[in-house]
């Protein structure tokens, strides 16, 4: 599946196990169910470790690995199911600094929202990217400039702008009333 970030297509250096009995060489993304059993083996051989989470996952399962995970991939079963956005915010809130990937049928218009929630990239199905080429994803970033999510590294949100405007209004009102 193509991998898209704020600059366009990016290379995916992580492999997923093809079957439950295999563990590919190199950097690997493990399903959450396999993380506890095989994560240490991947780390011991010096490869980068990633985990694939459903959007309903509890963070307890990844807590022991959180500071050692190079990538967390959160699945989106549908573009209309936004639970993955909330999960991304919670993961970033716990201090995770590695790559955060949204995987599934998100649409181009959701890239700005995904970045605002802390995602670094979106892994979209090939058929979706054929319908919405990368140029459309990047154009959406240029057009959709405002966002509601607060995220320290991504600028000021609409809510922060409204709060600042309200404070300025209140300050002017106090000055004029005096």
């Amino acid at each position: 599946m193509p991998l898209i970030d704020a600059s366009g297509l990016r290379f995916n250096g992580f492999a997923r196990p093809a079957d439950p009995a295999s563990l590919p060489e190199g950097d690997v993304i493990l399903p959450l169910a396999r993380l506890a059993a095989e994560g240490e083996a991947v780390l011991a051989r010096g490869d980068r470790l990633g985990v694939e989470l459903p959007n309903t996952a509890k963070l307890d399962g990844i807590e022991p690995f959180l500071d050692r995970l190079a990538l967390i991939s959160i699945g989106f079963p549908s573009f209309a199911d936004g639970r993955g956005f909330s999960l991304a915010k919670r993961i970033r809130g716990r201090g995770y600094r590695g790559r955060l990937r949204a995987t599934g049928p998100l649409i181009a218009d959701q890239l700005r929202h995904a970045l605002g929630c802390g995602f670094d990239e979106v892994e979209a199905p090939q058929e979706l990217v054929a319908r919405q080429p990368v140029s459309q994803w990047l154009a959406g970033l240029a057009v959709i400039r405002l966002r509601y999510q607060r995220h320290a590294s991504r600028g000021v949100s609409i809510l922060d702008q409204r709060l600042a405007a309200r404070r300025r209004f209140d300050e002017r009102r106090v000055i004029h009333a005096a």
Side-chain angles (χ1 to χ4, degrees):
M1 289 198 293
L3 199 55
I4 303 166
D5 69 6
S7 62
L9 281 176
R10 63 177 275 115
F11 172 72
N12 181 5
F14 285 83
R16 288 183 170 89
D19 63 69
S22 72
L23 187 59
E25 291 297 316
D27 301 336
V28 64
I29 301 174
L30 294 175
L32 179 58
R34 293 178 65 179
L35 180 64
E38 298 174 80
E40 293 294 346
V42 172
L43 293 168
R45 65 187 191 199
D47 293 324
R48 293 183 305 157
L49 176 62
V51 65
E52 196 163 24
L53 299 178
N55 64 356
T56 57
K58 304 288 184 228
L59 297 182
D60 303 339
I62 65 167
E63 200 71 50
F65 290 93
L66 199 57
D67 62 337
R68 299 181 292 159
L69 289 169
L71 174 88
I72 297 175
S73 176
I74 299 175
F76 282 77
S78 150
F79 75 91
D81 187 339
R83 292 176 289 181
F85 296 122
S86 300
L87 183 57
K89 292 282 288 182
R90 285 198 315 273
I91 289 170
R92 288 293 187 203
R94 291 208 181 174
Y96 180 70
R97 300 287 172 240
R99 294 208 68 78
L100 198 52
R101 178 183 296 176
T103 303
L106 293 180
I107 57 176
D109 293 353
Q110 291 175 304
L111 182 57
R112 170 74 61 200
H113 185 65
L115 295 174
C117 288
F119 285 105
D120 298 295
E121 57 203 21
V122 173
E123 186 178 19
Q126 183 64 47
E127 57 275 2
L128 177 68
V129 176
R131 244 184 12 257
Q132 294 183 328
V134 174
S135 60
Q136 192 171 343
W137 290 74
L138 297 178
L141 282 178
V143 172
I144 304 169
R145 301 183 86 56
L146 302 174
R147 58 181 178 68
Y148 282 99
Q149 308 80 17
R150 286 184 169 125
H151 193 282
S153 66
R154 308 267 196 246
V156 180
S157 72
I158 292 171
L159 299 173
D160 293 328
Q161 292 174 26
R162 284 182 181 172
L163 255 159
R166 179 66 185 198
R167 283 189 198 115
R168 287 191 302 274
F169 175 78
D170 289 344
E171 288 169 2
R172 276 187 254 140
R173 201 169 64 185
V174 168
I175 291 171
H176 291 331

